[in-house]
Amino acid sequence: MRISCVVCFGVAVLFSISANSQNSYPHFQDVARTSGLTVSHISGEKRYILESMSGGVGFFDCDNDGKLDIVVVNGSTVDRFRQGGDLLVTLYHQDSDFHFTDITQQAGLTRKGWGMGVAVADFDNDGRIDIVVLPISGAPGRGLAAAASCSWRASSSGAMTS
């Protein structure tokens, strides 16, 4: 008897959840620009398969203030890559009230190329989060390949060193 009551209660809850979820939908609003997230992802003209693959995002606290900051991996195009590429990453610091400031230059993240992915972790076990980006290397027309990853270690001043 007790098991059947529990099963009936579970079924009733299950049906009430699904009935309520059919009537209400979440409303999403694009707040990127108003939040300070202004980097444009570059993803080529899709003339080459390579131009269809790039990008990534990492969330971590770059300055130990308790708020998640954002690192965005930037793509490129074959033509732009031939000219040296674009910044591999853009780093955004979260200020107050869910607003972000681009601190890429101040953090020393000025390497250019074509980013394919990102990982954030404490790779050197010093208590600070580091960034690793997988870039593309080579010369378009002579072969492109994933290069050895480039990494930036977090310093105590908040700057990233390569």
Side-chain angles (χ1 to χ4, degrees):
M1 175 76 170
R2 186 174 192 185
I3 293 176
S4 63
C5 288
V6 170
V7 170
C8 288
F9 179 73
V11 169
V13 168
L14 180 65
F15 282 113
S16 68
I17 290 172
S18 63
N20 287 339
S21 65
Q22 291 176 358
N23 296 329
S24 62
Y25 299 99
H27 175 74
F28 295 97
Q29 182 178 355
D30 185 356
V31 296
R33 287 229 179 266
T34 58
S35 296
L37 302 171
T38 57
V39 68
S40 295
H41 178 72
I42 302 164
S43 184
E45 299 159 7
K46 312 289 188 285
R47 291 182 292 162
Y48 307 96
I49 195 164
L50 180 65
E51 291 178 319
S52 67
M53 305 177 295
S54 66
V57 177
F59 298 90
F60 70 111
D61 186 0
C62 73
D63 60 352
N64 293 319
D65 65 355
K67 295 180 276 189
L68 286 178
D69 305 303
I70 302 173
V71 60
V72 180
V73 176
N74 300 321
S76 195
T77 67
V78 171
D79 295 334
R80 290 168 75 122
F81 186 71
R82 287 180 177 146
Q83 303 299 317
D86 298 281
L87 285 175
L88 280 176
V89 297
T90 302
L91 179 61
Y92 288 103
H93 176 263
Q94 186 179 160
D95 304 320
S96 60
D97 298 329
F98 197 63
H99 188 270
F100 294 85
T101 301
D102 183 343
I103 61 167
T104 306
Q105 299 294 323
Q106 298 95 310
L109 301 174
T110 57
R111 183 171 172 181
K112 291 187 174 186
W114 190 328
M116 295 297 286
V118 64
V120 292
D122 183 7
F123 295 107
D124 55 5
N125 205 24
D126 66 355
R128 293 184 295 268
I129 301 294
D130 307 304
I131 302 171
V132 174
V133 174
L134 180 64
I136 292 296
S137 70
R142 291 180 294 197
L144 294 172
S149 63
C150 56
S151 61
W152 290 279
R153 293 178 48 194
S155 68
S156 58
S157 68
M160 306 297 283
T161 57
S162 142

